[in-house]
């Protein structure tokens, strides 16, 4: 069952982070009438994927990814998108206090009851870990009784060994069509993956079922410091 929230704030560094592994959760909240605000740190300008076949260039990639993000937000029902304008793959070098200031400004404005972000040190990518750490820093500045709950997406291979089983497990199959549409919206990054996944699903009923089960569940760990 989806825990009720007053307002969800998602904080991620790249276009598509809000979708891969979280689109179902976001869609279920917006469908339930819960407002979702998304802070996106960069435009993913250093991404290596350019579409399959290639349709992007290094110069055009930021604008392509910005449009893909806007399209995904529309599909997911996100009506409030904030862009921090940071440089892709350099977030770890930003002043963490300044990052926390910027995230804190949005927290003060929208007063979320829950924040979605990567679980610090379990985001795999340095940008993921840097922005989630700044998010935790911003929340820690608040009085204890005013702090929103932080749901961390942990994508390291040893996440369960270190953190235990996830605190939140959400069955998102009822919004699978929305989730897949959001994934396809990030065409420059997802096109090859989607083609491979479709080919795998077509190879056998067992493979199709495994993919449906994998996509149909999204998990989070509550950050407790």
């Amino acid at each position: 069952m989806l825990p009720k929230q007053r307002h969800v704030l998602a904080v991620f560094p790249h276009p598509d982070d809000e979708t891969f592994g979280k689109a179902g959760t976001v869609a279920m909240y917006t469908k339930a009438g819960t407002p979702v605000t998304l802070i996106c740190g960069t435009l993913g300008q250093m991404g290596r994927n350019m579409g399959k076949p290639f349709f992007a260039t290094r110069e055009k990639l930021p604008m392509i990814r910005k449009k893909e993000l806007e399209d995904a937000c529309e599909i997911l029902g996100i009506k409030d998108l904030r862009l921090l304008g940071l440089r892709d793959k350099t977030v770890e070098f930003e002043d963490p206090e300044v990052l926390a200031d910027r995230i804190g400004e949005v927290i003060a404005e929208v007063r979320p009851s829950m924040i979605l972000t990567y679980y610090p040190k379990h985001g795999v990518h340095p940008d993921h870990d840097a922005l989630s750490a700044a998010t935790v820093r911003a929340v820690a500045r608040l009085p204890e009784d005013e702090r929103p709950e932080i749901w961390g997406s942990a994508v390291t291979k040893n996440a369960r060994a270190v953190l235990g089983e996830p605190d939140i497990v959400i069955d998102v199959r009822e919004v699978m069509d929305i989730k897949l549409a959001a994934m396809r919206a990030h065409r420059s990054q997802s096109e090859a993956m989607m083609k491979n996944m479709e080919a795998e699903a077509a190879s056998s009923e067992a493979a199709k079922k495994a993919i449906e089960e994998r996509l149909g569940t999204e998990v989070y760990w509550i950050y407790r410091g």
Side-chain angles (χ1 to χ4, degrees), residues 14-30:
H14 310 117
D16 75 19
D17 289 337
E18 82 296 330
T19 289
F20 296 144
K22 306 101 180 169
T25 303
V26 172
M28 288 180 71
Y29 273 117
T30 58

Side-chain angles (χ1 to χ4, degrees), residues 3 6 11 30 34 38 56 96-97 102 109 113-114 153 170 174:
R6 182 182 66 255
V11 185
T30 58
T34 305
L38 170 62
E97 294 293 343
R102 299 185 69 183
E109 178 185 337
S113 54
M114 183 270 278
S153 173
I170 300 176
E174 70 180 67

Side-chain angles (χ1 to χ4, degrees), residues 118-182:
Y118 283 102
Y119 199 101
K121 299 183 181 178
H122 286 275
V124 174
H125 191 296
D127 286 355
H128 297 175
D129 287 333
L131 205 59
S132 61
T135 302
V136 167
R137 187 182 296 261
V139 170
R141 293 172 175 174
L142 299 170
E144 199 163 334
D145 60 351
E146 295 179 14
R147 294 174 187 170
E149 197 166 60
I150 298 174
W151 290 12
S153 173
V155 290
T156 49
K157 291 181 179 177
N158 67 344
R160 290 175 190 252
V162 175
L163 302 174
E165 291 302 308
D167 298 296
I168 309 290
V169 179
I170 300 176
D171 182 340
V172 302
R173 287 175 295 179
E174 70 180 67
V175 293
M176 186 61 71
D177 56 335
I178 299 175
K179 177 171 183 169
L180 291 174

Side-chain angles (χ1 to χ4, degrees), residues 14-128:
H14 310 117
D16 75 19
D17 289 337
E18 82 296 330
T19 289
F20 296 144
K22 306 101 180 169
T25 303
V26 172
M28 288 180 71
Y29 273 117
T30 58
K31 277 192 72 177
T34 305
V36 175
T37 294
L38 170 62
I39 295 176
C40 186
T42 79
L43 291 179
Q45 52 268 63
M46 297 303 291
R48 294 178 60 83
N49 294 325
M50 300 286 173
K52 187 177 177 62
F54 299 144
F55 65 88
T57 64
R58 178 64 61 203
E59 291 73 23
K60 293 181 179 177
L61 189 60
M63 295 314 298
I64 288 172
R65 296 200 68 182
K66 181 173 183 284
K67 179 65 167 59
E68 290 174 348
L69 175 63
E70 292 168 347
D71 290 346
C73 284
E74 184 172 348
I75 291 166
L76 294 174
I78 298 173
K79 300 183 185 306
D80 185 11
L81 170 62
R82 316 289 181 99
L83 301 176
L84 295 185
L86 304 174
R87 179 78 176 172
D88 189 18
K89 294 191 176 179
T90 67
V91 178
E92 64 180 310
F93 305 114
E94 296 285 337
D95 184 334
E97 294 293 343
V98 173
L99 282 181
D101 287 346
R102 299 185 69 183
I103 296 167
E105 288 172 3
V106 180
I107 292 174
E109 178 185 337
V110 305
R111 300 179 62 80
S113 54
M114 183 270 278
I115 296 179
L116 277 182
T117 188
Y118 283 102
Y119 199 101
K121 299 183 181 178
H122 286 275
V124 174
H125 191 296
D127 286 355
H128 297 175

